[in-house]
Amino acid sequence: MMKVMNRKWSRYVIMPLTVIFLAATLSCSGMTSQENTAEGQALESQTGIITRSVLGGAVVGAVVGGLVGLLVTGRGQGALIGAAAGAALGAGAGYLVGRAKKRYAQSEDRLDYYARTYQEENQRLADYNETARKVVAQDTMRLASLRRRLAARQISRDQARADVNSARRHLALLDKALANVQKRLAEARLAYRDVRNTPGSARLREQIQRYSRAVSELSAKRRQLARSIARAPELG
């Protein structure tokens, strides 16, 4: 009986979760060899950090969901369904509040936890926005001068195409980061709802307002880069 359970565990829980871990790792890895500036490499690295702050919830959710699915159904299909559902819940809004309620029974303690979490998140996003500002400024300047440099034969079409492709890669990184910080903002609002009647909750509200402004700032940078790419010459 134990051997059968071990085989089921390996086939239906360990293997699916291994796939989830690998997917998370690959989604955070990137194109360092294709980036040609220190800022571009920094943007990629910091995008991975922001992504992992949400994927951590997805991995934990998948572990719990997989175990529940196996125990309830006794079959591997249940484990796979449970893991998928757990990952969706873990990476979505509500994961932070659920974890806090398990750790801290008192709302005051949860408030401290939320405030610490979003103080760290604010610093992480501020650093990311500064890197994004530099990258978008560099890409915007390069793309704006493409026609002039091509006409003056200062660069080849291949070099111009490389500039556009680099900007597109940076835009993809900004899209990934923006999607993840928007999830974190949704989590923050649920966290505030959990402790809004707790004395001192104003400090968490201030952290969330600061985070919301930083998310808007990142969204504006993303739009700026997208416009610059749209205005670039068609290079085939």
Side-chain angles (χ1 to χ4, degrees), residues 31-45 131-132 134-139 142 163 166-167 169-170 173:
M31 305 160 288
T32 303
S33 61
Q34 299 177 18
E35 303 295 352
N36 56 6
T37 66
E39 288 80 6
Q41 293 177 19
L43 185 74
E44 182 189 348
S45 175
T131 301
K134 294 175 182 177
V135 169
V136 170
Q138 289 175 350
D139 285 342
R142 283 199 193 97
D163 281 347
S166 178
R169 289 196 298 272
H170 294 155
L173 291 172

mmCIF file with all atom_site columns, all heavy atoms in Angstrom, residues 31-45 131-132 134-139 142 163 166-167 169-170 173:
data_model
loop_
_atom_site.group_PDB
_atom_site.id
_atom_site.type_symbol
_atom_site.label_atom_id
_atom_site.label_alt_id
_atom_site.label_comp_id
_atom_site.label_asym_id
_atom_site.label_entity_id
_atom_site.label_seq_id
_atom_site.pdbx_PDB_ins_code
_atom_site.Cartn_x
_atom_site.Cartn_y
_atom_site.Cartn_z
_atom_site.occupancy
_atom_site.B_iso_or_equiv
_atom_site.pdbx_formal_charge
_atom_site.auth_seq_id
_atom_site.auth_comp_id
_atom_site.auth_asym_id
_atom_site.auth_atom_id
_atom_site.pdbx_PDB_model_num
ATOM 1   N N   . MET A 1 31  ? 16.496 37.371 -21.307 1.00 0.00 ? 31  MET A N   1
ATOM 2   C CA  . MET A 1 31  ? 17.218 37.520 -22.541 1.00 0.00 ? 31  MET A CA  1
ATOM 3   C C   . MET A 1 31  ? 18.470 38.332 -22.321 1.00 0.00 ? 31  MET A C   1
ATOM 4   O O   . MET A 1 31  ? 18.789 39.229 -23.093 1.00 0.00 ? 31  MET A O   1
ATOM 5   C CB  . MET A 1 31  ? 16.293 38.209 -23.547 1.00 0.00 ? 31  MET A CB  1
ATOM 6   C CG  . MET A 1 31  ? 14.979 37.482 -23.725 1.00 0.00 ? 31  MET A CG  1
ATOM 7   S SD  . MET A 1 31  ? 13.692 38.547 -24.421 1.00 0.00 ? 31  MET A SD  1
ATOM 8   C CE  . MET A 1 31  ? 13.335 39.619 -23.026 1.00 0.00 ? 31  MET A CE  1
ATOM 9   N N   . THR A 1 32  ? 19.180 38.038 -21.230 1.00 0.00 ? 32  THR A N   1
ATOM 10  C CA  . THR A 1 32  ? 20.330 38.862 -20.877 1.00 0.00 ? 32  THR A CA  1
ATOM 11  C C   . THR A 1 32  ? 21.314 38.972 -22.031 1.00 0.00 ? 32  THR A C   1
ATOM 12  O O   . THR A 1 32  ? 21.851 40.040 -22.307 1.00 0.00 ? 32  THR A O   1
ATOM 13  C CB  . THR A 1 32  ? 21.039 38.277 -19.645 1.00 0.00 ? 32  THR A CB  1
ATOM 14  O OG1 . THR A 1 32  ? 20.090 38.195 -18.582 1.00 0.00 ? 32  THR A OG1 1
ATOM 15  C CG2 . THR A 1 32  ? 22.185 39.150 -19.216 1.00 0.00 ? 32  THR A CG2 1
ATOM 16  N N   . SER A 1 33  ? 21.546 37.869 -22.745 1.00 0.00 ? 33  SER A N   1
ATOM 17  C CA  . SER A 1 33  ? 22.531 37.888 -23.815 1.00 0.00 ? 33  SER A CA  1
ATOM 18  C C   . SER A 1 33  ? 22.089 38.795 -24.965 1.00 0.00 ? 33  SER A C   1
ATOM 19  O O   . SER A 1 33  ? 22.911 39.225 -25.760 1.00 0.00 ? 33  SER A O   1
ATOM 20  C CB  . SER A 1 33  ? 22.753 36.471 -24.343 1.00 0.00 ? 33  SER A CB  1
ATOM 21  O OG  . SER A 1 33  ? 21.546 35.949 -24.875 1.00 0.00 ? 33  SER A OG  1
ATOM 22  N N   . GLN A 1 34  ? 20.782 39.099 -25.069 1.00 0.00 ? 34  GLN A N   1
ATOM 23  C CA  . GLN A 1 34  ? 20.288 39.918 -26.158 1.00 0.00 ? 34  GLN A CA  1
ATOM 24  C C   . GLN A 1 34  ? 20.257 41.398 -25.778 1.00 0.00 ? 34  GLN A C   1
ATOM 25  O O   . GLN A 1 34  ? 20.088 42.245 -26.657 1.00 0.00 ? 34  GLN A O   1
ATOM 26  C CB  . GLN A 1 34  ? 18.872 39.456 -26.545 1.00 0.00 ? 34  GLN A CB  1
ATOM 27  C CG  . GLN A 1 34  ? 18.835 38.006 -27.029 1.00 0.00 ? 34  GLN A CG  1
ATOM 28  C CD  . GLN A 1 34  ? 17.423 37.540 -27.334 1.00 0.00 ? 34  GLN A CD  1
ATOM 29  O OE1 . GLN A 1 34  ? 16.532 38.345 -27.514 1.00 0.00 ? 34  GLN A OE1 1
ATOM 30  N NE2 . GLN A 1 34  ? 17.228 36.247 -27.379 1.00 0.00 ? 34  GLN A NE2 1
ATOM 31  N N   . GLU A 1 35  ? 20.350 41.697 -24.509 1.00 0.00 ? 35  GLU A N   1
ATOM 32  C CA  . GLU A 1 35  ? 20.299 43.093 -24.099 1.00 0.00 ? 35  GLU A CA  1
ATOM 33  C C   . GLU A 1 35  ? 21.674 43.730 -24.296 1.00 0.00 ? 35  GLU A C   1
ATOM 34  O O   . GLU A 1 35  ? 22.703 43.123 -24.061 1.00 0.00 ? 35  GLU A O   1
ATOM 35  C CB  . GLU A 1 35  ? 19.883 43.204 -22.639 1.00 0.00 ? 35  GLU A CB  1
ATOM 36  C CG  . GLU A 1 35  ? 18.543 42.552 -22.336 1.00 0.00 ? 35  GLU A CG  1
ATOM 37  C CD  . GLU A 1 35  ? 17.372 43.235 -23.045 1.00 0.00 ? 35  GLU A CD  1
ATOM 38  O OE1 . GLU A 1 35  ? 17.590 44.300 -23.641 1.00 0.00 ? 35  GLU A OE1 1
ATOM 39  O OE2 . GLU A 1 35  ? 16.272 42.693 -23.012 1.00 0.00 ? 35  GLU A OE2 1
ATOM 40  N N   . ASN A 1 36  ? 21.692 45.006 -24.711 1.00 0.00 ? 36  ASN A N   1
ATOM 41  C CA  . ASN A 1 36  ? 22.969 45.634 -25.022 1.00 0.00 ? 36  ASN A CA  1
ATOM 42  C C   . ASN A 1 36  ? 23.301 46.794 -24.089 1.00 0.00 ? 36  ASN A C   1
ATOM 43  O O   . ASN A 1 36  ? 24.202 47.555 -24.359 1.00 0.00 ? 36  ASN A O   1
ATOM 44  C CB  . ASN A 1 36  ? 22.990 46.103 -26.491 1.00 0.00 ? 36  ASN A CB  1
ATOM 45  C CG  . ASN A 1 36  ? 21.827 47.039 -26.794 1.00 0.00 ? 36  ASN A CG  1
ATOM 46  O OD1 . ASN A 1 36  ? 21.076 47.417 -25.905 1.00 0.00 ? 36  ASN A OD1 1
ATOM 47  N ND2 . ASN A 1 36  ? 21.691 47.386 -28.062 1.00 0.00 ? 36  ASN A ND2 1
ATOM 48  N N   . THR A 1 37  ? 22.546 46.966 -23.014 1.00 0.00 ? 37  THR A N   1
ATOM 49  C CA  . THR A 1 37  ? 22.880 48.010 -22.060 1.00 0.00 ? 37  THR A CA  1
ATOM 50  C C   . THR A 1 37  ? 22.772 47.451 -20.649 1.00 0.00 ? 37  THR A C   1
ATOM 51  O O   . THR A 1 37  ? 22.034 46.502 -20.396 1.00 0.00 ? 37  THR A O   1
ATOM 52  C CB  . THR A 1 37  ? 21.936 49.222 -22.181 1.00 0.00 ? 37  THR A CB  1
ATOM 53  O OG1 . THR A 1 37  ? 20.615 48.829 -21.787 1.00 0.00 ? 37  THR A OG1 1
ATOM 54  C CG2 . THR A 1 37  ? 21.896 49.759 -23.607 1.00 0.00 ? 37  THR A CG2 1
ATOM 55  N N   . ALA A 1 38  ? 23.509 48.087 -19.743 1.00 0.00 ? 38  ALA A N   1
ATOM 56  C CA  . ALA A 1 38  ? 23.425 47.676 -18.337 1.00 0.00 ? 38  ALA A CA  1
ATOM 57  C C   . ALA A 1 38  ? 22.019 47.904 -17.792 1.00 0.00 ? 38  ALA A C   1
ATOM 58  O O   . ALA A 1 38  ? 21.515 47.117 -16.989 1.00 0.00 ? 38  ALA A O   1
ATOM 59  C CB  . ALA A 1 38  ? 24.444 48.458 -17.511 1.00 0.00 ? 38  ALA A CB  1
ATOM 60  N N   . GLU A 1 39  ? 21.374 48.982 -18.260 1.00 0.00 ? 39  GLU A N   1
ATOM 61  C CA  . GLU A 1 39  ? 20.022 49.271 -17.796 1.00 0.00 ? 39  GLU A CA  1
ATOM 62  C C   . GLU A 1 39  ? 19.045 48.194 -18.252 1.00 0.00 ? 39  GLU A C   1
ATOM 63  O O   . GLU A 1 39  ? 18.137 47.797 -17.521 1.00 0.00 ? 39  GLU A O   1
ATOM 64  C CB  . GLU A 1 39  ? 19.567 50.640 -18.307 1.00 0.00 ? 39  GLU A CB  1
ATOM 65  C CG  . GLU A 1 39  ? 20.245 51.817 -17.648 1.00 0.00 ? 39  GLU A CG  1
ATOM 66  C CD  . GLU A 1 39  ? 21.639 52.095 -18.208 1.00 0.00 ? 39  GLU A CD  1
ATOM 67  O OE1 . GLU A 1 39  ? 22.029 51.425 -19.203 1.00 0.00 ? 39  GLU A OE1 1
ATOM 68  O OE2 . GLU A 1 39  ? 22.327 52.971 -17.657 1.00 0.00 ? 39  GLU A OE2 1
ATOM 69  N N   . GLY A 1 40  ? 19.214 47.719 -19.517 1.00 0.00 ? 40  GLY A N   1
ATOM 70  C CA  . GLY A 1 40  ? 18.350 46.663 -20.032 1.00 0.00 ? 40  GLY A CA  1
ATOM 71  C C   . GLY A 1 40  ? 18.495 45.381 -19.231 1.00 0.00 ? 40  GLY A C   1
ATOM 72  O O   . GLY A 1 40  ? 17.516 44.697 -18.938 1.00 0.00 ? 40  GLY A O   1
ATOM 73  N N   . GLN A 1 41  ? 19.724 45.048 -18.878 1.00 0.00 ? 41  GLN A N   1
ATOM 74  C CA  . GLN A 1 41  ? 19.953 43.856 -18.057 1.00 0.00 ? 41  GLN A CA  1
ATOM 75  C C   . GLN A 1 41  ? 19.344 44.028 -16.669 1.00 0.00 ? 41  GLN A C   1
ATOM 76  O O   . GLN A 1 41  ? 18.766 43.094 -16.109 1.00 0.00 ? 41  GLN A O   1
ATOM 77  C CB  . GLN A 1 41  ? 21.453 43.595 -17.960 1.00 0.00 ? 41  GLN A CB  1
ATOM 78  C CG  . GLN A 1 41  ? 22.093 43.200 -19.284 1.00 0.00 ? 41  GLN A CG  1
ATOM 79  C CD  . GLN A 1 41  ? 23.599 43.013 -19.164 1.00 0.00 ? 41  GLN A CD  1
ATOM 80  O OE1 . GLN A 1 41  ? 24.119 42.829 -18.081 1.00 0.00 ? 41  GLN A OE1 1
ATOM 81  N NE2 . GLN A 1 41  ? 24.288 43.080 -20.292 1.00 0.00 ? 41  GLN A NE2 1
ATOM 82  N N   . ALA A 1 42  ? 19.470 45.232 -16.115 1.00 0.00 ? 42  ALA A N   1
ATOM 83  C CA  . ALA A 1 42  ? 18.886 45.495 -14.797 1.00 0.00 ? 42  ALA A CA  1
ATOM 84  C C   . ALA A 1 42  ? 17.368 45.395 -14.848 1.00 0.00 ? 42  ALA A C   1
ATOM 85  O O   . ALA A 1 42  ? 16.729 44.871 -13.926 1.00 0.00 ? 42  ALA A O   1
ATOM 86  C CB  . ALA A 1 42  ? 19.312 46.875 -14.298 1.00 0.00 ? 42  ALA A CB  1
ATOM 87  N N   . LEU A 1 43  ? 16.763 45.889 -15.942 1.00 0.00 ? 43  LEU A N   1
ATOM 88  C CA  . LEU A 1 43  ? 15.312 45.817 -16.083 1.00 0.00 ? 43  LEU A CA  1
ATOM 89  C C   . LEU A 1 43  ? 14.849 44.371 -16.097 1.00 0.00 ? 43  LEU A C   1
ATOM 90  O O   . LEU A 1 43  ? 13.856 44.012 -15.459 1.00 0.00 ? 43  LEU A O   1
ATOM 91  C CB  . LEU A 1 43  ? 14.880 46.525 -17.370 1.00 0.00 ? 43  LEU A CB  1
ATOM 92  C CG  . LEU A 1 43  ? 13.368 46.624 -17.570 1.00 0.00 ? 43  LEU A CG  1
ATOM 93  C CD1 . LEU A 1 43  ? 12.778 47.661 -16.629 1.00 0.00 ? 43  LEU A CD1 1
ATOM 94  C CD2 . LEU A 1 43  ? 13.028 46.979 -19.026 1.00 0.00 ? 43  LEU A CD2 1
ATOM 95  N N   . GLU A 1 44  ? 15.576 43.542 -16.814 1.00 0.00 ? 44  GLU A N   1
ATOM 96  C CA  . GLU A 1 44  ? 15.216 42.124 -16.877 1.00 0.00 ? 44  GLU A CA  1
ATOM 97  C C   . GLU A 1 44  ? 15.315 41.467 -15.508 1.00 0.00 ? 44  GLU A C   1
ATOM 98  O O   . GLU A 1 44  ? 14.414 40.751 -15.070 1.00 0.00 ? 44  GLU A O   1
ATOM 99  C CB  . GLU A 1 44  ? 16.139 41.397 -17.853 1.00 0.00 ? 44  GLU A CB  1
ATOM 100 C CG  . GLU A 1 44  ? 15.782 39.931 -18.006 1.00 0.00 ? 44  GLU A CG  1
ATOM 101 C CD  . GLU A 1 44  ? 16.820 39.176 -18.808 1.00 0.00 ? 44  GLU A CD  1
ATOM 102 O OE1 . GLU A 1 44  ? 17.677 39.829 -19.422 1.00 0.00 ? 44  GLU A OE1 1
ATOM 103 O OE2 . GLU A 1 44  ? 16.774 37.939 -18.784 1.00 0.00 ? 44  GLU A OE2 1
ATOM 104 N N   . SER A 1 45  ? 16.415 41.723 -14.805 1.00 0.00 ? 45  SER A N   1
ATOM 105 C CA  . SER A 1 45  ? 16.611 41.134 -13.485 1.00 0.00 ? 45  SER A CA  1
ATOM 106 C C   . SER A 1 45  ? 15.530 41.581 -12.505 1.00 0.00 ? 45  SER A C   1
ATOM 107 O O   . SER A 1 45  ? 14.962 40.763 -11.774 1.00 0.00 ? 45  SER A O   1
ATOM 108 C CB  . SER A 1 45  ? 17.998 41.519 -12.957 1.00 0.00 ? 45  SER A CB  1
ATOM 109 O OG  . SER A 1 45  ? 18.184 41.071 -11.640 1.00 0.00 ? 45  SER A OG  1
ATOM 110 N N   . THR A 1 131 ? 14.748 52.237 -12.932 1.00 0.00 ? 131 THR A N   1
ATOM 111 C CA  . THR A 1 131 ? 15.392 51.520 -14.034 1.00 0.00 ? 131 THR A CA  1
ATOM 112 C C   . THR A 1 131 ? 14.581 51.653 -15.311 1.00 0.00 ? 131 THR A C   1
ATOM 113 O O   . THR A 1 131 ? 15.130 51.893 -16.397 1.00 0.00 ? 131 THR A O   1
ATOM 114 C CB  . THR A 1 131 ? 15.566 50.034 -13.675 1.00 0.00 ? 131 THR A CB  1
ATOM 115 O OG1 . THR A 1 131 ? 16.359 49.923 -12.489 1.00 0.00 ? 131 THR A OG1 1
ATOM 116 C CG2 . THR A 1 131 ? 16.244 49.268 -14.800 1.00 0.00 ? 131 THR A CG2 1
ATOM 117 N N   . ALA A 1 132 ? 13.258 51.498 -15.192 1.00 0.00 ? 132 ALA A N   1
ATOM 118 C CA  . ALA A 1 132 ? 12.386 51.618 -16.364 1.00 0.00 ? 132 ALA A CA  1
ATOM 119 C C   . ALA A 1 132 ? 12.494 53.012 -16.976 1.00 0.00 ? 132 ALA A C   1
ATOM 120 O O   . ALA A 1 132 ? 12.477 53.163 -18.205 1.00 0.00 ? 132 ALA A O   1
ATOM 121 C CB  . ALA A 1 132 ? 10.946 51.309 -15.972 1.00 0.00 ? 132 ALA A CB  1
ATOM 122 N N   . LYS A 1 134 ? 15.086 54.971 -17.105 1.00 0.00 ? 134 LYS A N   1
ATOM 123 C CA  . LYS A 1 134 ? 16.320 55.050 -17.878 1.00 0.00 ? 134 LYS A CA  1
ATOM 124 C C   . LYS A 1 134 ? 16.209 54.269 -19.186 1.00 0.00 ? 134 LYS A C   1
ATOM 125 O O   . LYS A 1 134 ? 16.640 54.736 -20.248 1.00 0.00 ? 134 LYS A O   1
ATOM 126 C CB  . LYS A 1 134 ? 17.491 54.513 -17.049 1.00 0.00 ? 134 LYS A CB  1
ATOM 127 C CG  . LYS A 1 134 ? 17.818 55.356 -15.823 1.00 0.00 ? 134 LYS A CG  1
ATOM 128 C CD  . LYS A 1 134 ? 18.916 54.701 -14.986 1.00 0.00 ? 134 LYS A CD  1
ATOM 129 C CE  . LYS A 1 134 ? 19.218 55.506 -13.739 1.00 0.00 ? 134 LYS A CE  1
ATOM 130 N NZ  . LYS A 1 134 ? 20.228 54.850 -12.879 1.00 0.00 ? 134 LYS A NZ  1
ATOM 131 N N   . VAL A 1 135 ? 15.629 53.067 -19.101 1.00 0.00 ? 135 VAL A N   1
ATOM 132 C CA  . VAL A 1 135 ? 15.505 52.229 -20.297 1.00 0.00 ? 135 VAL A CA  1
ATOM 133 C C   . VAL A 1 135 ? 14.586 52.885 -21.318 1.00 0.00 ? 135 VAL A C   1
ATOM 134 O O   . VAL A 1 135 ? 14.902 52.946 -22.518 1.00 0.00 ? 135 VAL A O   1
ATOM 135 C CB  . VAL A 1 135 ? 14.980 50.826 -19.906 1.00 0.00 ? 135 VAL A CB  1
ATOM 136 C CG1 . VAL A 1 135 ? 14.578 50.035 -21.147 1.00 0.00 ? 135 VAL A CG1 1
ATOM 137 C CG2 . VAL A 1 135 ? 16.041 50.065 -19.129 1.00 0.00 ? 135 VAL A CG2 1
ATOM 138 N N   . VAL A 1 136 ? 13.444 53.375 -20.864 1.00 0.00 ? 136 VAL A N   1
ATOM 139 C CA  . VAL A 1 136 ? 12.492 53.998 -21.790 1.00 0.00 ? 136 VAL A CA  1
ATOM 140 C C   . VAL A 1 136 ? 13.095 55.254 -22.410 1.00 0.00 ? 136 VAL A C   1
ATOM 141 O O   . VAL A 1 136 ? 12.918 55.516 -23.606 1.00 0.00 ? 136 VAL A O   1
ATOM 142 C CB  . VAL A 1 136 ? 11.171 54.324 -21.061 1.00 0.00 ? 136 VAL A CB  1
ATOM 143 C CG1 . VAL A 1 136 ? 10.257 55.181 -21.938 1.00 0.00 ? 136 VAL A CG1 1
ATOM 144 C CG2 . VAL A 1 136 ? 10.458 53.024 -20.664 1.00 0.00 ? 136 VAL A CG2 1
ATOM 145 N N   . ALA A 1 137 ? 13.836 56.033 -21.644 1.00 0.00 ? 137 ALA A N   1
ATOM 146 C CA  . ALA A 1 137 ? 14.484 57.235 -22.189 1.00 0.00 ? 137 ALA A CA  1
ATOM 147 C C   . ALA A 1 137 ? 15.494 56.860 -23.267 1.00 0.00 ? 137 ALA A C   1
ATOM 148 O O   . ALA A 1 137 ? 15.553 57.498 -24.338 1.00 0.00 ? 137 ALA A O   1
ATOM 149 C CB  . ALA A 1 137 ? 15.168 58.011 -21.066 1.00 0.00 ? 137 ALA A CB  1
ATOM 150 N N   . GLN A 1 138 ? 16.294 55.819 -23.003 1.00 0.00 ? 138 GLN A N   1
ATOM 151 C CA  . GLN A 1 138 ? 17.277 55.385 -23.996 1.00 0.00 ? 138 GLN A CA  1
ATOM 152 C C   . GLN A 1 138 ? 16.600 54.891 -25.269 1.00 0.00 ? 138 GLN A C   1
ATOM 153 O O   . GLN A 1 138 ? 16.994 55.265 -26.386 1.00 0.00 ? 138 GLN A O   1
ATOM 154 C CB  . GLN A 1 138 ? 18.141 54.263 -23.411 1.00 0.00 ? 138 GLN A CB  1
ATOM 155 C CG  . GLN A 1 138 ? 19.118 54.719 -22.341 1.00 0.00 ? 138 GLN A CG  1
ATOM 156 C CD  . GLN A 1 138 ? 19.868 53.551 -21.708 1.00 0.00 ? 138 GLN A CD  1
ATOM 157 O OE1 . GLN A 1 138 ? 19.537 52.385 -21.940 1.00 0.00 ? 138 GLN A OE1 1
ATOM 158 N NE2 . GLN A 1 138 ? 20.863 53.860 -20.911 1.00 0.00 ? 138 GLN A NE2 1
ATOM 159 N N   . ASP A 1 139 ? 15.577 54.036 -25.096 1.00 0.00 ? 139 ASP A N   1
ATOM 160 C CA  . ASP A 1 139 ? 14.888 53.488 -26.266 1.00 0.00 ? 139 ASP A CA  1
ATOM 161 C C   . ASP A 1 139 ? 14.181 54.583 -27.055 1.00 0.00 ? 139 ASP A C   1
ATOM 162 O O   . ASP A 1 139 ? 14.215 54.585 -28.291 1.00 0.00 ? 139 ASP A O   1
ATOM 163 C CB  . ASP A 1 139 ? 13.865 52.425 -25.832 1.00 0.00 ? 139 ASP A CB  1
ATOM 164 C CG  . ASP A 1 139 ? 14.527 51.110 -25.442 1.00 0.00 ? 139 ASP A CG  1
ATOM 165 O OD1 . ASP A 1 139 ? 15.688 50.900 -25.821 1.00 0.00 ? 139 ASP A OD1 1
ATOM 166 O OD2 . ASP A 1 139 ? 13.875 50.303 -24.758 1.00 0.00 ? 139 ASP A OD2 1
ATOM 167 N N   . ARG A 1 142 ? 16.745 56.491 -29.103 1.00 0.00 ? 142 ARG A N   1
ATOM 168 C CA  . ARG A 1 142 ? 17.232 55.708 -30.240 1.00 0.00 ? 142 ARG A CA  1
ATOM 169 C C   . ARG A 1 142 ? 16.187 55.632 -31.352 1.00 0.00 ? 142 ARG A C   1
ATOM 170 O O   . ARG A 1 142 ? 16.493 55.813 -32.530 1.00 0.00 ? 142 ARG A O   1
ATOM 171 C CB  . ARG A 1 142 ? 17.570 54.283 -29.781 1.00 0.00 ? 142 ARG A CB  1
ATOM 172 C CG  . ARG A 1 142 ? 18.873 54.135 -29.036 1.00 0.00 ? 142 ARG A CG  1
ATOM 173 C CD  . ARG A 1 142 ? 19.313 52.681 -29.063 1.00 0.00 ? 142 ARG A CD  1
ATOM 174 N NE  . ARG A 1 142 ? 20.382 52.443 -28.110 1.00 0.00 ? 142 ARG A NE  1
ATOM 175 C CZ  . ARG A 1 142 ? 20.211 51.958 -26.881 1.00 0.00 ? 142 ARG A CZ  1
ATOM 176 N NH1 . ARG A 1 142 ? 18.995 51.671 -26.470 1.00 0.00 ? 142 ARG A NH1 1
ATOM 177 N NH2 . ARG A 1 142 ? 21.225 51.763 -26.082 1.00 0.00 ? 142 ARG A NH2 1
ATOM 178 N N   . ASP A 1 163 ? 17.616 47.784 -32.852 1.00 0.00 ? 163 ASP A N   1
ATOM 179 C CA  . ASP A 1 163 ? 17.147 48.781 -31.890 1.00 0.00 ? 163 ASP A CA  1
ATOM 180 C C   . ASP A 1 163 ? 15.652 48.628 -31.616 1.00 0.00 ? 163 ASP A C   1
ATOM 181 O O   . ASP A 1 163 ? 15.205 48.706 -30.469 1.00 0.00 ? 163 ASP A O   1
ATOM 182 C CB  . ASP A 1 163 ? 17.428 50.197 -32.399 1.00 0.00 ? 163 ASP A CB  1
ATOM 183 C CG  . ASP A 1 163 ? 18.880 50.614 -32.189 1.00 0.00 ? 163 ASP A CG  1
ATOM 184 O OD1 . ASP A 1 163 ? 19.588 49.921 -31.434 1.00 0.00 ? 163 ASP A OD1 1
ATOM 185 O OD2 . ASP A 1 163 ? 19.304 51.627 -32.775 1.00 0.00 ? 163 ASP A OD2 1
ATOM 186 N N   . SER A 1 166 ? 15.025 45.438 -29.615 1.00 0.00 ? 166 SER A N   1
ATOM 187 C CA  . SER A 1 166 ? 15.415 45.620 -28.219 1.00 0.00 ? 166 SER A CA  1
ATOM 188 C C   . SER A 1 166 ? 14.334 46.373 -27.453 1.00 0.00 ? 166 SER A C   1
ATOM 189 O O   . SER A 1 166 ? 13.969 46.013 -26.326 1.00 0.00 ? 166 SER A O   1
ATOM 190 C CB  . SER A 1 166 ? 16.743 46.386 -28.144 1.00 0.00 ? 166 SER A CB  1
ATOM 191 O OG  . SER A 1 166 ? 17.116 46.613 -26.800 1.00 0.00 ? 166 SER A OG  1
ATOM 192 N N   . ALA A 1 167 ? 13.785 47.418 -28.074 1.00 0.00 ? 167 ALA A N   1
ATOM 193 C CA  . ALA A 1 167 ? 12.702 48.177 -27.430 1.00 0.00 ? 167 ALA A CA  1
ATOM 194 C C   . ALA A 1 167 ? 11.475 47.297 -27.221 1.00 0.00 ? 167 ALA A C   1
ATOM 195 O O   . ALA A 1 167 ? 10.793 47.396 -26.190 1.00 0.00 ? 167 ALA A O   1
ATOM 196 C CB  . ALA A 1 167 ? 12.349 49.397 -28.272 1.00 0.00 ? 167 ALA A CB  1
ATOM 197 N N   . ARG A 1 169 ? 11.486 44.082 -26.724 1.00 0.00 ? 169 ARG A N   1
ATOM 198 C CA  . ARG A 1 169 ? 11.768 43.183 -25.596 1.00 0.00 ? 169 ARG A CA  1
ATOM 199 C C   . ARG A 1 169 ? 11.563 43.921 -24.276 1.00 0.00 ? 169 ARG A C   1
ATOM 200 O O   . ARG A 1 169 ? 11.027 43.372 -23.316 1.00 0.00 ? 169 ARG A O   1
ATOM 201 C CB  . ARG A 1 169 ? 13.204 42.650 -25.691 1.00 0.00 ? 169 ARG A CB  1
ATOM 202 C CG  . ARG A 1 169 ? 13.415 41.641 -26.821 1.00 0.00 ? 169 ARG A CG  1
ATOM 203 C CD  . ARG A 1 169 ? 14.719 40.874 -26.633 1.00 0.00 ? 169 ARG A CD  1
ATOM 204 N NE  . ARG A 1 169 ? 15.893 41.743 -26.667 1.00 0.00 ? 169 ARG A NE  1
ATOM 205 C CZ  . ARG A 1 169 ? 16.552 42.075 -27.773 1.00 0.00 ? 169 ARG A CZ  1
ATOM 206 N NH1 . ARG A 1 169 ? 16.129 41.653 -28.953 1.00 0.00 ? 169 ARG A NH1 1
ATOM 207 N NH2 . ARG A 1 169 ? 17.618 42.844 -27.714 1.00 0.00 ? 169 ARG A NH2 1
ATOM 208 N N   . HIS A 1 170 ? 12.017 45.167 -24.239 1.00 0.00 ? 170 HIS A N   1
ATOM 209 C CA  . HIS A 1 170 ? 11.831 45.953 -23.020 1.00 0.00 ? 170 HIS A CA  1
ATOM 210 C C   . HIS A 1 170 ? 10.345 46.183 -22.740 1.00 0.00 ? 170 HIS A C   1
ATOM 211 O O   . HIS A 1 170 ? 9.909  46.144 -21.583 1.00 0.00 ? 170 HIS A O   1
ATOM 212 C CB  . HIS A 1 170 ? 12.555 47.298 -23.143 1.00 0.00 ? 170 HIS A CB  1
ATOM 213 C CG  . HIS A 1 170 ? 14.036 47.154 -23.220 1.00 0.00 ? 170 HIS A CG  1
ATOM 214 N ND1 . HIS A 1 170 ? 14.849 48.103 -23.819 1.00 0.00 ? 170 HIS A ND1 1
ATOM 215 C CD2 . HIS A 1 170 ? 14.866 46.175 -22.785 1.00 0.00 ? 170 HIS A CD2 1
ATOM 216 C CE1 . HIS A 1 170 ? 16.116 47.703 -23.744 1.00 0.00 ? 170 HIS A CE1 1
ATOM 217 N NE2 . HIS A 1 170 ? 16.144 46.543 -23.129 1.00 0.00 ? 170 HIS A NE2 1
ATOM 218 N N   . LEU A 1 173 ? 8.911  43.177 -21.104 1.00 0.00 ? 173 LEU A N   1
ATOM 219 C CA  . LEU A 1 173 ? 9.266  43.132 -19.687 1.00 0.00 ? 173 LEU A CA  1
ATOM 220 C C   . LEU A 1 173 ? 8.386  44.067 -18.865 1.00 0.00 ? 173 LEU A C   1
ATOM 221 O O   . LEU A 1 173 ? 7.926  43.717 -17.778 1.00 0.00 ? 173 LEU A O   1
ATOM 222 C CB  . LEU A 1 173 ? 10.743 43.498 -19.504 1.00 0.00 ? 173 LEU A CB  1
ATOM 223 C CG  . LEU A 1 173 ? 11.767 42.486 -20.024 1.00 0.00 ? 173 LEU A CG  1
ATOM 224 C CD1 . LEU A 1 173 ? 13.175 43.073 -19.939 1.00 0.00 ? 173 LEU A CD1 1
ATOM 225 C CD2 . LEU A 1 173 ? 11.700 41.177 -19.239 1.00 0.00 ? 173 LEU A CD2 1
#
